[in-house]
Amino acid sequence: MSESLHFAEHRLQEIALLVMACVYAIRIFWLTRYKAGRDRQMPTGPPDTNKKKGILYSLMNIMMPWAMESTRKHFIIYSQFIVFHLGVTFAILMSFLIPYAPDTMKPVWVIYLFQVVIGAAFIVGIFRIIRRFSKKVMRAISTPDDYFSLILITTWFLTAFLSVPNKPENGETIMIIYFWLTAFFLIYVPFSKISHYLYYPFTRYYLGRTMGHRGVFPLRGSRQSK
Amino acid sequence: MKERSYKANLLIEGMAKKLNRQMVGSLVACVHCGMCTESCHYVLTNPDDPTYAPAYKADRMRKIFKRHYDWTGRVFPWWVGAKSIFTDEELEELKDISFGKCTNCRRCSINCPMGVDFATFNRALRGLLVSVGVMPEGVAVVSKDQWEIGNQMGVLPEDYIDTLDWLSEEMQSEFDDETAVIPIDKLDADIVYTINPREVKYDPRTISDAAKIFHIAGENWTMPSEGWDMTNFGLFSGDDALGGAVAIRVYEKLKELRGKKLVISECGHGYRSTRCEGPNWAGIDQDFIMESSVFTMLNYIKEGKIKVDKSKNTGSYTFHDSCNNARSCGLYEEPRELLNLVVSDFREMYPNRNENYCCTGGGGAMSMSEYTSRRLKSAKVKADQLKATGANIVVTSCHNCVDGLTDLIKHYDLKMEVKQLVNLVANALVIPEKITAPEVPTVEIKKAPLAGRKILVVDDEPDILVFFKSVLEDNGAIVFEASNGEDAISIALKEKPELMTLDINMPGKDGGWVFENLRRNPEIASTKVCIITGRPELRRLIYDRPVPMPEGYLDKPVDPDTLLFNVRKILEVG
């Protein structure tokens, strides 16, 4: 392994992670500086609902595609979302496994598993790019960061897919690109929309708390047709 | 550097006071995935216009927030879509989006995978615009009425008390029972009943229906002489100060009367404002019981306090969930339970409950006439939903929805009727032997209650003239017509009508001119006037004049029953 690859796999990742952690901490501090609104009224809605149930339901909502009309009606987009985020998880996991537990990446089935998931995520990424560029409403709501973040992650998927076998002896270039992109990704995340997962627990927690207190969550009874 | 207008500056500074953790979370968490797009009825009826998409609308406020309060937007504004505002024209654009392209129905909020509650911060944006005086005229008029007069329709205290007295007399006569009255300001009542001013102005039958139910249930109840308006325009205008002041007015009256429970008549935004948001706006913890009248009526039936005969309510019924009830207060099962107890043919509407579509008149839309065509276009979604039920009566527990639905039913020619649960429960009441309501005494009154009464109808629209004339003549009135201001005055001088129905917006001399000339001329000054207008924001042309107020006021469209009911009320015809 060359020094360049070693640096990219270790020191570069550590610096990137440190920067990300610091910026994240600042972001959370910034968000929590704002006072949380209270629900001073007595609870409403069905007696079997409450704040706790609302919070739990709200946080788990993303795993219940039947719960929201938007995911129920657009199950393909929802499936793409699952595949895309699984791809992110696997590609990040790989950035730790290759430097710190390379043996885990050796079995052929592991390589196939990672390549299938990350490869599928790459294809979804391409679909998402096309959707964002081709649909009028998506263009209207997109910022340069939206386009860039999507292209960045999709490209990163491609380099991750090619790096899965972890064979520097066959050429290090793609692995070096993958690790540099990972580092860039880590540093860029807090400044971009990709940091949404940092806010997700906050938004869903508070929405669930309010809606649970009012008996709106768990959503129930509604169906699109008979 | 670009100069910023005074108002734009104020709005940006004011934003800091509106932000809380929930709102900031919603402002930073959007990933622009577009999943909310089709949840909005405006989008469904304007599929080619992306400016209706909830994410697009939300970004109008998000851009300003990012530019001034989020450092990513301060450092890389273009990159993250941050943008400030500078001119008053930009504020007008914000007004158009915030008030004219969203009813704050919260349907997108429950469909956002990230939990972004757009409706909440759109309300905040409305509040900011209102704070710098940028709002639809209707919002300004109604807010002013609620601040100054204490209710959002400008009902004067004497008119309110007169109406209750009149309804009491009717009830006493109907039951032939001196005790069948609407108690006012009774101390230590178990229930203090609060209503929507629309009930006083346009639909007093809902008050008398509720009164009958309370009477037959043997309830110890009262209505307050003040603080009776449980609606709250602060919800629509985003003005938390107004919201808090109105809520406190209601809560304090309950305490002053030492009432045990506050019952809120069927009104979606009133229920949400008083029951769910009021304590938060007012900054006080709720320490007494409040409930919707839907619960009260349901419990009466369950406890056997009243008996109902569902065969009295013929026809097929569907139920429309008010957004404020279902998506903001969890009130959706009880109305169905109650409805099923009072009708035989109930047909569910799809989607329903939390996922139901807005009546399209919510969020104060009914008071913003400049957006009427946009509202009615978006109502196609609701019209299709209603039509698909095959029902001929739609029931709703919300006064705003009654107006919104009535308007769209007329617009899309659906041949449906709108009712509230209180109407159906009252109609289905099995009246115990001792207080059996007698038959209406005379055939003459039933047939021609306005016999011989002279009424002058003033309106520039020929269709309206024909419609009002036929309704009033069918009930025995002698009707004169005028299609402009000058004719109105000359006919009034010649015929001396007892009542004039007066349109405000007419070419040439408008209703304001007619009204002032009428009031200032001793020969005809005592003519009673009922303003009937499709432009409620022009009410100031009447009410700002230094002459005695008109005796009645109606918003167009008006159905025959409402017209007749109000005319009879003004002319004091039983």
Side-chain angles (χ1 to χ4, degrees), chain B residues 14-139:
Chain B
M15 192 178 278
K17 291 179 200 142
K18 289 265 180 194
L19 296 172
N20 63 20
R21 199 177 301 161
Q22 285 92 326
M23 213 178 292
V24 172
S26 282
L27 284 163
V28 292
C30 179
V31 289
H32 295 141
C33 68
M35 293 295 272
C36 56
T37 307
E38 289 174 21
S39 61
C40 176
H41 57 274
Y42 282 108
V43 174
L44 295 175
T45 43
N46 299 278
D48 296 324
D49 186 348
T51 65
Y52 284 101
Y56 181 89
K57 293 183 277 195
D59 275 358
R60 299 313 98 192
M61 178 164 172
R62 189 172 282 123
K63 280 171 183 289
I64 305 167
F65 166 78
K66 283 192 172 178
R67 188 68 186 90
H68 295 276
Y69 294 96
D70 182 350
W71 55 270
T72 60
R74 281 204 289 254
V75 181
F76 315 108
W78 173 77
W79 191 248
V80 297
K83 201 178 167 203
S84 189
I85 42 161
F86 293 91
T87 65
D88 290 353
E89 286 72 34
E90 286 172 298
L91 293 178
E92 287 294 323
E93 285 166 24
L94 281 177
K95 180 189 89 174
D96 186 69
I97 295 260
S98 181
F99 287 97
K101 291 187 171 179
C102 174
T103 57
N104 276 355
C105 77
R106 230 176 188 175
R107 203 165 187 275
C108 58
S109 303
I110 64 156
N111 273 295
C112 172
M114 287 297 295
V116 170
D117 192 359
F118 167 53
T120 297
F121 68 82
N122 189 55
R123 182 180 170 273
L125 176 58
R126 287 182 173 198
L128 288 168
L129 290 164
V130 165
S131 72
V132 295
V134 179
M135 66 194 108
E137 187 150 4
V139 172

Side-chain angles (χ1 to χ4, degrees), chain A residues 4 12 47 69 86 113-114 117 125 134 148 173 177 186 207 218 220:
Chain A
S4 302
L12 180 65
E69 183 193 270
L86 274 176
L113 176 68
F114 272 72
V117 173
S134 63
F148 179 75
T173 314
I177 294 173
L186 293 174
L207 186 70
R220 60 180 78 191

Side-chain angles (χ1 to χ4, degrees), chain B residues 188-457:
Chain B
D188 301 311
D190 292 330
I191 283 177
V192 174
Y193 186 58
T194 51
I195 56 167
N196 182 322
R198 181 185 173 279
E199 297 180 66
V200 184
K201 274 207 147 164
Y202 313 134
D203 199 6
R205 202 177 323 155
T206 55
I207 306 174
S208 55
D209 282 348
K212 279 180 207 169
I213 295 166
F214 287 133
H215 175 65
I216 291 173
E219 188 59 79
N220 173 23
W221 72 295
T222 191
M223 288 183 76
S225 60
E226 291 166 352
W228 51 268
D229 178 9
M230 50 66 180
T231 68
N232 196 325
F233 218 71
L235 180 71
F236 299 149
S237 68
D239 182 350
D240 290 348
L242 175 61
V246 172
I248 283 180
R249 200 181 282 156
V250 175
Y251 305 156
E252 285 185 347
K253 190 66 188 175
L254 174 102
K255 289 183 178 172
E256 184 192 315
L257 295 175
R258 303 194 300 259
K260 292 188 180 65
K261 192 198 292 183
L262 186 75
V263 171
I264 301 155
S265 77
E266 285 179 90
C267 175
H269 102 265
Y271 182 61
R272 179 178 171 191
S273 301
T274 308
R275 174 68 181 83
C276 297
E277 311 287 2
N280 302 320
W281 293 330
I284 52 170
D285 291 315
Q286 184 190 337
D287 57 356
F288 56 90
I289 297 169
M290 291 190 260
E291 71 179 22
S292 161
S293 60
V294 173
F295 289 91
T296 318
M297 293 187 283
L298 182 60
N299 287 335
Y300 285 161
I301 298 176
K302 283 181 174 175
E303 292 162 8
K305 288 186 174 174
I306 58 171
K307 289 195 168 36
V308 285
D309 173 7
K310 59 166 76 175
S311 69
K312 289 184 178 180
N313 287 319
T314 54
S316 51
Y317 295 81
T318 188
F319 185 74
H320 162 81
D321 291 280
S322 133
C323 304
N324 285 315
N325 281 340
R327 265 193 291 280
S328 286
C329 297
L331 176 60
Y332 41 80
E333 295 302 348
E334 291 80 3
R336 283 176 173 74
E337 198 181 345
L338 182 56
L339 186 55
N340 274 306
L341 289 170
V342 293
V343 304
S344 306
D345 184 357
F346 169 61
R347 303 166 186 197
E348 191 60 271
M349 187 187 297
Y350 295 93
N352 55 58
R353 296 174 172 82
N354 315 118
E355 288 190 355
N356 187 31
Y357 286 107
C358 177
C359 68
T360 65
M366 296 306 289
S367 61
M368 307 173 203
S369 55
E370 58 268 60
Y371 306 126
T372 300
S373 59
R374 203 183 279 178
R375 169 172 63 80
L376 286 170
K377 186 182 177 192
S378 78
K380 174 80 168 53
V381 176
K382 192 79 230 172
D384 290 344
Q385 220 189 339
L386 290 174
K387 205 190 259 179
T389 65
N392 49 34
I393 298 159
V394 54
V395 182
T396 184
S397 282
C398 173
H399 282 283
N400 224 347
C401 297
V402 169
D403 287 340
L405 293 171
T406 304
D407 214 11
L408 77 88
I409 283 169
K410 192 178 167 201
H411 185 76
Y412 289 98
D413 196 20
L414 295 184
K415 312 267 184 296
M416 289 178 89
E417 211 183 322
V418 188
K419 286 194 172 172
Q420 292 199 278
L421 282 162
V422 70
N423 308 132
L424 299 174
V425 174
N427 192 51
L429 278 175
V430 175
I431 301 170
E433 201 63 30
K434 59 173 182 170
I435 49 173
T436 300
E439 289 297 311
V440 178
T442 58
V443 175
E444 285 74 25
I445 286 174
K446 248 184 170 178
K447 273 188 175 170
L450 300 174
R453 314 299 285 261
K454 284 181 172 181
I455 300 173
L456 170 58
V457 178

